[in-house]
Amino acid sequence: MDSSLTRGLYRDITDFAHDTPSWVQHLAELWTEAGLLLFGVLFLVAWWRARVADARALAVAVLAPLATAFGYVVSESLKSLFDEERPCRTVTDAARSLVECPPTGDWSFPSNHASIAGAAAIALVLAWRRIWLLTVPMALLMAFSRVFVGVHYPHDVMVGLVLGSVVAVAFVVALTRPATALLTSMRSSRTGVVVWFAGPGPVATPDHTGHGDHGGAGGPGRHARTTPTRDR
């Protein structure tokens, strides 16, 4: 991968990083890793809130972290095709990286962190639309932080973001239907841990007589498939 086009931008960003206060540098060093943990927390929140939604919504929430993991696998696989050395090792006239430069063999293109961030941000949006106000800035900041601390070229993180996003969307779209069918079946289970994981589903909507939906001959409609009114 020819990195000549972004070497200058890399130098400008790393020079800027060294001109910032030390607390900003430490915050960037922390965020470049801690952001992944925050995405993990958001996955749990998205799953928990989807337990009371319909099975399709729960399926998307469950697939979100799996789509992110798949985005990482695709990104890691591409690294071996390009074998691009890290800029903290090759751009010798740039400022020293704020974190230790990864060893040779831990290639630069594309950025795994950016791929994970892009995949996580978009997968969460598919499960919880309003969360884009948080996840998209998170992903952009994480991608930028990888250049800021000096371990990636700008094109590494830009491609990583796009790659992760596309892979996540494709993964969720491809598997939503079978996942929905599986979770619908799980909600009829009598096994405690399965019911806990799949959740109760949406609350049955009462009929005009006030007796509620009794689910026909099968008894009470515990898992009636009503559409939640709240925005996911």
Side-chain angles (χ1 to χ4, degrees):
M1 182 75 182
D2 182 10
S3 57
S4 59
L5 295 178
T6 56
R7 282 174 176 262
L9 183 56
Y10 171 80
R11 284 191 293 266
D12 291 341
I13 293 175
T14 52
D15 286 344
F16 168 73
H18 277 268
D19 289 337
T20 59
S22 60
W23 66 268
V24 174
Q25 297 176 16
H26 292 316
L27 187 62
E29 294 173 32
L30 175 64
W31 176 248
T32 193
E33 301 295 345
L36 299 177
L37 298 178
L38 181 54
F39 274 123
V41 172
L42 292 176
F43 285 138
L44 290 174
V45 175
W47 158 71
W48 186 259
R49 70 191 298 274
R51 290 172 70 256
V52 296
D54 59 74
R56 185 184 183 281
L58 178 61
V60 175
V62 170
L63 288 172
L66 301 179
T68 302
F70 187 62
Y72 164 76
V73 171
V74 173
S75 173
E76 184 64 24
S77 299
L78 287 177
K79 281 179 176 288
S80 61
L81 298 178
F82 294 99
D83 293 357
E84 179 186 76
E85 190 58 88
R86 298 276 180 164
C88 45
R89 184 168 291 106
T90 59
V91 187
T92 56
D93 57 340
R96 180 179 55 84
S97 60
L98 298 180
V99 298
E100 183 179 356
C101 192
T104 297
D106 186 353
W107 306 116
S108 189
F109 179 87
S111 165
N112 282 342
H113 280 73
S115 297
I116 292 171
I122 298 304
L124 281 165
V125 170
L126 295 176
W128 185 357
R129 283 173 295 190
R130 290 181 180 176
I131 202 68
W132 76 267
L133 292 170
L134 176 60
T135 62
V136 171
M138 279 176 58
L140 293 175
L141 283 173
M142 183 174 294
F144 177 76
S145 73
R146 300 302 288 167
V147 184
F148 187 90
V149 300
V151 295
H152 275 292
Y153 289 106
H155 67 261
D156 295 340
V157 300
M158 289 187 287
V159 171
L161 284 171
V162 174
L163 175 67
S165 300
V166 171
V167 168
V169 170
F171 185 93
V172 171
V173 169
L175 295 181
T176 293
R177 181 174 292 182
T180 299
L182 175 61
L183 287 165
T184 299
S185 176
M186 290 174 67
R187 280 180 169 174
S188 65
S189 172
R190 295 182 180 275
T191 304
V193 68
V194 174
V195 174
W196 172 80
F197 176 80
V203 178
T205 303
D207 60 23
H208 294 297
T209 63
H211 298 298
D213 181 0
H214 297 289
R222 177 171 168 270
H223 303 300
R225 292 176 180 78
T226 56
T227 303
T229 57
R230 68 180 181 183
D231 183 4
R232 300 186 199 95

